[in-house]
Amino acid sequence: LSLKFGDIGNLKGLVIRLLLTTSYYQLSVQNWFSLQRLQLLYNHSVQATFNATRIYAPASYSFHCEHVSSLQRYDALLIPSSANDISKLWEVTFIDFQIQGFNIQEGHFAYAKDCASFLSPAILMGLVMSLILLLVLAYALHMLIHLKSLDRHYECKASPAYFAQMKDSDMGDEKEPLRSSGNESYELRSQQFCKIYI
């Protein structure tokens, strides 16, 4: 597949050539196409050659990627063909790249296989945040389940307003004089005000 820039200023002699191949894989029981190499030609001479990696899709699909580039910050899907090649002097970046070499119908791209992996950084961050929220929710439910109400185990009753008159023989058991300055007062020791159930 050759892309020519026609008569656009200084680019009219520039051609981008994409070498596509198709292969049949028994595991998926279908044909897949892949981009093998990208060549930059200027005035009919090859200026740079890049080997393509991970650019493939089923033959009935198209391939889409936000960035196809030779730069490391874009994950470098295009690699110079050799260490001594002048390709290293070139920086190639395609933005919103989509390609389909086979089974094209009515001049439109088929459904696109995207280059984004399943575990992209955004998806990983979402999974981590979901895990943290689940842990917080589980801890809150654990605390609610083990929460004990005081009303079930503690019953408080008001002290009675009427005290029966006691005999002098029982006064020694039921009351005890409190030592104070000059006046004699008594403390009831057998009166029960609260009940605690354990």
Side-chain angles (χ1 to χ4, degrees):
L1 177 65
S2 294
L3 303 177
K4 298 180 180 180
F5 288 86
D7 57 353
I8 304 176
N10 297 330
L11 298 178
K12 62 183 179 180
L14 180 64
V15 177
I16 299 175
R17 182 181 293 166
L18 304 166
L19 177 62
L20 298 163
T21 60
T22 181
S23 301
Y24 179 78
Y25 291 96
Q26 291 184 352
L27 189 61
S28 61
V29 197
Q30 61 181 336
N31 289 317
W32 286 63
F33 80 89
S34 60
L35 176 62
Q36 296 294 319
R37 280 194 303 276
L38 180 143
Q39 291 179 333
L40 298 176
L41 292 85
Y42 191 74
N43 291 333
H44 306 289
S45 64
V46 177
Q47 301 293 317
T49 302
F50 294 91
N51 293 328
T53 60
R54 293 178 288 142
I55 301 178
Y56 52 84
S60 58
Y61 287 43
S62 64
F63 175 85
H64 176 266
C65 197
E66 189 65 30
H67 293 96
V68 171
S69 175
S70 61
L71 302 177
Q72 288 297 328
R73 67 172 177 264
Y74 294 128
D75 203 15
L77 296 178
L78 300 175
I79 301 170
S81 58
S82 65
N84 298 327
D85 195 4
I86 60 172
S87 303
K88 301 186 77 174
L89 302 176
W90 289 74
E91 292 181 355
V92 179
T93 301
F94 295 99
I95 299 173
D96 198 18
F97 178 83
Q98 188 167 1
I99 190 170
Q100 181 178 352
F102 308 97
N103 301 324
I104 300 171
Q105 297 179 0
E106 299 179 1
H108 297 290
F109 283 117
Y111 178 82
K113 175 190 176 295
D114 204 275
C115 66
S117 63
F118 177 72
L119 294 177
S120 64
I123 294 175
L124 284 175
M125 184 60 68
L127 290 174
V128 169
M129 292 304 296
S130 300
L131 181 61
I132 292 173
L133 289 175
L134 283 175
L135 288 175
V136 170
L137 181 61
Y139 178 74
L141 288 175
H142 172 75
M143 295 300 290
L144 283 175
I145 290 172
H146 290 87
L147 183 65
K148 295 182 179 179
S149 174
L150 290 177
D151 294 338
R152 293 175 55 193
H153 304 285
Y154 187 75
E155 181 183 341
C156 213
K157 294 183 178 180
S159 60
Y162 173 76
F163 293 95
Q165 190 173 5
M166 299 182 190
K167 297 179 182 178
D168 292 339
S169 61
D170 297 334
M171 294 294 281
D173 296 332
E174 296 295 327
K175 59 184 180 178
E176 178 181 15
L178 296 174
R179 303 288 179 251
S180 62
S181 57
N183 295 326
E184 185 176 358
S185 59
Y186 295 90
E187 176 189 13
L188 294 176
R189 293 193 297 178
S190 64
Q191 185 65 34
Q192 183 175 359
F193 292 100
C194 297
K195 295 179 182 178
I196 298 176
Y197 301 94
I198 300 176

